[in-house]
Amino acid sequence: MGCLTAGEQKYSRGLEGVIAAISSISCIDGDEGNLIYRGYPIEVLAKYSTYLETAFLILYGHLPTEKEFEDFRENIKSNYELHPGMIDTIKNFMMDAHPMDVIRSMVSMMGIFCKDKREFSREAKYLKAIRVIAKIPTMIAAFHRLREGKEIISPDKSLTYSENFLYMMFGEKPDELSAKVLDIALILHAEHGMNASTFSGMVTASSLSDIYSAVTSAIGTLKGPLHGGANERVMSMLDEIKSLEDVKPFIESALAEKRKIMGFGHRVYKAYDPRAKILKDWAYKLCEMKGDLLHFKMGDEIEKIMIEKVGKRGIYPNVDFYSGLVYTHLGIPRDIFTPVFAMSRSVGWTAHILEYLESNRIYRPRAIYNGPIDLEYIPMEQREE
Ligand code: SDX
């Protein structure tokens, strides 16, 4: 029997170190802690670009001309609205549903309510990607308003992508700082190579399934606390620790019990996640402005202790460690942190799906068989209890 057996091939748990694609979208230098999107360092994009311009860069491979950006922005804005059938459906959702379950279900519904679903041209695929990017913010905000017993707020096309999301969530146009900080956070979360949720979407798309199904897969994957759900748990950890004096004993006992500290560690980064560095600065500014330096100091103390204890093993803060503080002080509810991550990462997901489909081959890895071979079939009545 030609089963793959142990010893014939190297098994890599979690596909660690396995190359699953060739891509020009981003590059992660895990040893030095650097990240570039299409050749541009994220520090430069966070400083000079906007989320929507970065989204164009990631999707199309170059920074847009003014005309290209205007057309792209109008295309996004013209796709903000949800189909009335989707709005009727969301009104019948359980209002205590997790918002990640809501957007996973609603993106899946796009395959039912969006027209041109049977068109598979390159242009139709890009249009589906733009629809996903445009509609996820509306889905998140609509559900949040409904669960608060409030009216859904329609998108305001006069606002930027980030301003519009905060407007649809809270019913008023955000202050300049809040909109800017959210936009920077969306830039930092937009793309990250072969992370679990991106790979999950690519696997689905590689069977030539549709983009909505592929993004549904990605959202389901991102929901997990080892991936996108960590920032919610960072804030719960700060609640549990309570004071600055309790930080050291809490972290030391957690490490002694081999518990993982959320917001730390990474499969690729064995240095400080460059996104966390930028988010830490903004977290400080927001915490100082909101008079919440205690939480920031607790985070900084956790970071110091973790780097001292496990930094030598390559365990440093990752993107999730300070994003929770940033979102908290933007007024974003904790269970909407990961949906905001999904809103941003919809660009990276769709860019990798579209890139891989250019020279598609269905993903189909192997498994080493370590079970028995050639057993005799015993009739049920003769089997011993
Ligand atoms: C994201 O892949 C991406 O790019 C993801 C992401 C993106 O942008 O898409 O960057 C976003 O997912 C960030 C990660 C958010 N998740 C967390 O913060 C959860 C906590 N982190 C860990 O669960 C872990 O670090 C992972 C999941 C992020 C990485 O897991 P790996 O590479 O499989 O590492 P591992 O679990 O095999 O750990 C290796 C060792 C273990 O010790 P030993 O068993 O060898 O003794 O490091 C230890 C782990 O116990 N370790 C930690 C730790 N992370 C790893 N110990 C304490 N706290 C941690 N956070």
Side-chain angles (χ1 to χ4, degrees), residues 156-171:
D156 180 339
K157 295 179 182 176
S158 71
L159 302 175
T160 68
Y161 186 90
S162 296
E163 288 170 343
N164 178 53
F165 173 66
L166 294 172
Y167 166 67
M168 293 191 294
M169 282 283 291
F170 306 121

Side-chain angles (χ1 to χ4, degrees), residues 192 195 225-228 230 255 258-267 275 306 313 315 318-320 341 345:
H192 214 241
N195 60 88
L226 293 187
H227 187 11
L255 291 176
K258 299 283 281 175
R259 278 188 286 131
K260 290 191 172 171
I261 307 300
M262 296 292 110
F264 282 84
H266 201 277
R267 177 65 62 79
R275 302 167 295 175
M306 282 294 285
R313 296 172 51 200
I315 301 170
N318 62 48
V319 69
D320 280 81
F341 192 153
R345 187 57 57 86

Side-chain angles (χ1 to χ4, degrees), residues 6 24 56 113 140 154 183-184 192 194 208 232 234 264 270 286 292-293 302 325 331 352-353 355:
S24 58
F56 182 101
F113 287 103
I140 299 168
S154 298
D183 210 59
I184 289 170
H192 214 241
M194 287 296 108
L208 297 187
E232 271 186 72
V234 170
F264 282 84
K270 301 310 170 192
L286 284 173
D292 171 30
L293 279 177
I302 292 170
L325 269 178
H352 277 284
I353 287 164
E355 180 184 61

